[in-house]
């Protein structure tokens, strides 16, 4: 049993904000109230139906700290199987725990891809052995080739929480229509990477911008994204299908999603910390560390994403955690892979670029990391309530830290290395057990 005392609880799902104590037992939250007393605990323990088997109570004092639902990342690459020199399920889970994430959905652009129940069951079984909740998508198409749908029924039955070919768009419109219809019958989201290759000459850098010109590259045109966003949100609106637009980067895309959601509120969009924190100028400063798909764009695009978060057009913040080796990122820009790690810096970036400037309240920001993704992906997570899983993140919002090596991730490809960020994750709790701590919980 774990008793968290004197914390400032923020639970967007219930609207709870204020000082509370939280008692956990058998992996669940069992009491929430100001000032849980010894008598309260004895009364709970004495009730036979609670079955705590004489468990000892560990108490931690969270005075002055924020106690939040454990964060949920709906878009992470753990590179396992096939690319474990970059990351594997264990190191990815460690990075998640250090960043305050208690639940992660892995993407399926692995080798082999997650397009059959055998691969899906393997990664889920290995994920179950980590300290956090590791979930997985399944691919929309076999081999991510965009030619034939996977068996959604079988994959959903075996634990897939969404369907995506992330890393590649689904270019065949009729195939995607069938995918949306099938997923809709299962009430399971389809999550789409929207970049039409016809408009991408050099991935990872904004076409026509300062960085592309400095590098002598054409880049990736913004039409690559918003043309597919328009096509696919229109289709999802017509079919009333659950759809997520991944890592939105262009102002036009935000506007298209805004209008589509008026027709079908099952349409959602992700914002990544890099896209609401950085612009293409980061490529000039950080080189390949700031190369990502879709690329970082203009300040006007960054602000459009922030305004989308403000008005609820975008209500999920996902990291797109994308580990690569130092050797890969040390090469020539045009040859280096796109992507950056993000699980360990995401929370602080949101504080710095969304909460501190006053764009989002702390509660609305936390909702984008917890209750909102939990609701859309039908997860038993993302809330602080009696009977809910005891998945909690405790942070010191008044503290700051310098992004430094080593990361818990196997990779180190972050453009934020050396930067001072607000908010430190003090403790991550999964099923009532401390799975990551900076030492505070043992003091």
């Amino acid at each position: 049993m774990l008793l968290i005392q004197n914390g400032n609880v923020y639970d967007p799902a219930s609207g709870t904000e204020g000082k509370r104590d939280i008692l956990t037992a058998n992996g669940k939250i069992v009491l929430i109230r100001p000032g849980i007393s010894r008598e309260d605990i004895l009364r709970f323990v004495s009730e036979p139906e609670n079955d705590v088997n004489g468990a000892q109570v560990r108490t931690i004092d969270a005075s002055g700290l924020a106690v939040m639902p454990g964060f949920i990342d709906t878009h992470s690459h753990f590179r396992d199987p096939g690319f474990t020199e970059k990351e594997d399920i264990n190191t990815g889970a460690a990075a998640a725990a250090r960043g305050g994430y208690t639940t992660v959905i892995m993407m399926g652009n692995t080798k082999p891809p997650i397009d059959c129940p055998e691969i899906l069951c393997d990664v889920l079984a290995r994920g179950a052995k980590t300290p956090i909740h590791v979930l997985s998508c399944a691919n929309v198409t076999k081999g991510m080739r965009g030619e034939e749908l996977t068996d959604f029924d079988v994959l959903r039955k075996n634990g897939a929480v969404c369907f995506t070919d992330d890393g590649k768009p689904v270019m065949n419109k009729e195939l995607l229509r069938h995918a949306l219809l099938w997923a809709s019958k299962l009430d399971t989201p389809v999550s789409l990477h929207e970049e039409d290759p016809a408009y991408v000459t050099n991935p990872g850098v904004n076409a026509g911008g300062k960085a592309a010109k400095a590098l002598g590259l054409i880049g990736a045109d913004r039409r690559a994204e918003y043309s597919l966003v328009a096509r696919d949100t229109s289709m999802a609106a017509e079919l009333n299908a659950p759809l997520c637009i991944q890592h939105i980067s262009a102002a036009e895309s935000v506007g298209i999603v805004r209008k589509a959601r008026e027709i079908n509120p099952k349409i959602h969009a992700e914002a990544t910390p890099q896209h609401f924190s950085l612009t293409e100028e980061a490529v000039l400063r950080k080189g390949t560390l700031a190369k990502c798909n879709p690329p970082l764009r203009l300040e006007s695009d960054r602000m459009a994403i922030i305004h989308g978060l403000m008005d609820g057009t975008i209500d999920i913040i996902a990291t797109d955690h994308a580990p690569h080796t130092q050797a890969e990122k040390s090469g020539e820009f045009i040859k280096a892979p796109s992507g950056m790690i993000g699980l360990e810096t995401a929370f602080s970036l949101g504080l710095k670029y969304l909460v501190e400037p006053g764009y989002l309240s702390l509660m609305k920001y936390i909702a984008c990391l917890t209750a909102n993704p939990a609701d859309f992906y039908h997860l038993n997570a993302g809330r602080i309530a009696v009977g809910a899983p005891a998945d909690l993140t405790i942070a010191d919002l008044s503290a700051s830290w310098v992004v430094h090596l080593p990361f818990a991730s196997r990779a180190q490809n972050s453009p934020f290395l050396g930067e001072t960020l607000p908010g430190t994750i003090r403790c991550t709790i999964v099923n009532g057990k401390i799975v990551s701590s900076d030492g505070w919980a043992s003091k």
Side-chain angles (χ1 to χ4, degrees):
M1 297 173 69
L2 182 65
L3 175 63
I4 302 163
Q5 292 183 313
N6 306 314
N8 297 313
V9 171
Y10 296 90
D11 179 47
S14 65
T16 299
E17 180 177 352
K19 187 169 287 188
R20 302 285 192 281
D21 291 355
I22 299 173
L23 180 67
T24 78
N26 297 327
K28 296 186 179 299
I29 296 169
V30 295
L31 285 177
I32 307 169
R33 66 180 65 160
I36 293 175
S37 66
R38 182 173 180 274
E39 289 71 26
D40 292 328
I41 297 172
L42 290 173
R43 190 179 305 113
F44 174 83
V45 169
S46 67
E47 295 172 355
E49 64 270 21
N50 291 327
D51 189 26
V52 291
N53 297 321
Q56 297 297 309
V57 179
R58 178 179 181 182
T59 301
I60 55 177
D61 185 358
S63 295
L65 303 180
V67 181
M68 301 163 284
F71 304 152
I72 300 166
D73 187 28
T74 59
H75 189 148
S76 266
H77 298 270
F78 283 3
R79 308 298 192 199
D80 191 350
F83 305 102
T84 53
E85 71 278 7
K86 304 171 188 268
E87 191 83 283
D88 61 35
I89 288 173
N90 291 312
T91 58
R98 182 177 287 184
Y101 286 89
T102 58
T103 299
V104 167
I105 299 175
M106 296 186 297
M107 295 293 99
N109 54 343
T110 52
K111 186 177 182 180
I114 304 176
D115 63 356
C116 64
E118 292 79 12
I119 302 299
L120 175 62
C121 290
D122 171 64
V123 297
L124 289 176
R126 290 189 287 121
K129 296 177 182 178
T130 71
I132 69 165
H133 305 293
V134 175
L135 310 178
S136 183
C137 73
N139 298 132
V140 173
T141 66
K142 293 182 179 180
M144 295 181 60
R145 291 185 292 270
E147 298 169 354
E148 182 182 359
L149 294 181
T150 58
D151 191 327
F152 284 20
D153 288 332
V154 170
L155 290 164
R156 183 69 182 96
K157 184 178 179 181
N158 281 276
V161 295
C162 67
F163 298 99
T164 179
D165 278 1
D166 177 46
K168 293 183 178 181
V170 180
M171 292 305 300
N172 186 314
K173 183 177 179 179
E174 286 308 306
L175 195 69
L176 180 60
R177 176 180 290 272
H178 288 301
L180 288 171
L181 283 170
W182 198 347
S184 185
K185 290 178 182 177
L186 297 171
D187 195 23
T188 303
V190 170
S191 184
L192 295 177
H193 181 125
E194 304 286 49
E195 280 193 297
D196 186 338
Y199 298 109
V200 178
T201 303
N202 310 112
V205 63
N206 183 45
K210 294 179 182 179
K213 290 176 182 177
L215 291 165
L217 302 175
I218 295 174
D221 195 286
R222 57 200 307 110
R223 288 176 295 176
E225 179 178 281
Y226 73 71
S227 61
L228 287 185
V229 171
R231 183 197 75 170
D232 297 343
T233 55
S234 176
M235 195 186 311
E238 173 195 341
L239 300 174
N240 194 37
L243 172 68
C244 182
I245 302 299
Q246 296 179 343
H247 40 48
I248 203 163
S249 73
E252 295 91 337
S253 301
V254 178
I256 292 165
V257 171
R258 182 176 287 116
K259 291 180 180 178
R261 290 201 70 183
E262 293 175 0
I263 302 169
N264 176 10
K266 296 178 184 177
I267 295 171
H268 292 254
E270 300 171 351
T272 71
Q274 52 267 31
H275 287 105
F276 65 64
S277 301
L278 302 174
T279 68
E280 63 175 1
E281 293 188 0
V283 174
L284 299 175
R285 294 182 287 108
K286 300 291 185 174
T288 61
L289 292 178
K291 181 180 181 181
C292 58
N293 295 338
L296 304 172
R297 301 195 189 274
L298 308 177
E299 175 65 9
S300 56
D301 295 302
R302 188 182 79 87
M303 288 308 303
I305 292 167
I306 290 174
H307 287 134
L309 286 161
M310 291 170 66
D311 69 16
T313 297
I314 305 168
D315 63 352
I316 296 172
I317 292 173
T319 70
D320 193 13
H321 176 79
H324 294 294
T325 66
Q326 186 173 8
E328 289 174 313
K329 281 292 194 177
S330 296
E332 185 181 355
F333 186 92
I334 196 169
K335 296 179 181 178
S338 293
M340 61 185 72
I341 59 172
L343 285 164
E344 297 171 64
T345 53
F347 176 66
S348 291
L349 290 169
L351 289 180
K352 180 174 182 177
Y353 291 98
L354 300 177
V355 178
E356 289 189 349
Y359 296 123
L360 294 187
S361 68
L362 181 60
M363 282 284 272
K364 189 164 186 175
Y365 172 51
I366 295 169
C368 293
L369 300 171
T370 60
N372 295 348
D375 288 346
F376 182 54
Y377 286 90
H378 309 301
L379 306 178
N380 183 22
R383 60 201 66 231
I384 298 176
V386 172
D391 298 343
L392 302 163
T393 299
I394 302 176
D396 187 343
L397 304 182
S398 65
S400 61
W401 62 292
V402 177
V403 182
H404 63 277
L405 299 176
F407 290 103
S409 169
R410 178 165 290 157
Q412 58 185 40
N413 55 308
S414 170
F416 301 104
L417 276 165
E419 294 197 22
T420 300
L421 297 178
T424 59
I425 303 297
R426 295 299 190 198
C427 186
T428 306
I429 298 167
V430 179
N431 292 331
K433 297 179 180 179
I434 296 172
V435 300
S436 180
S437 173
D438 66 354
W440 159 82
S442 61
K443 292 177 182 177

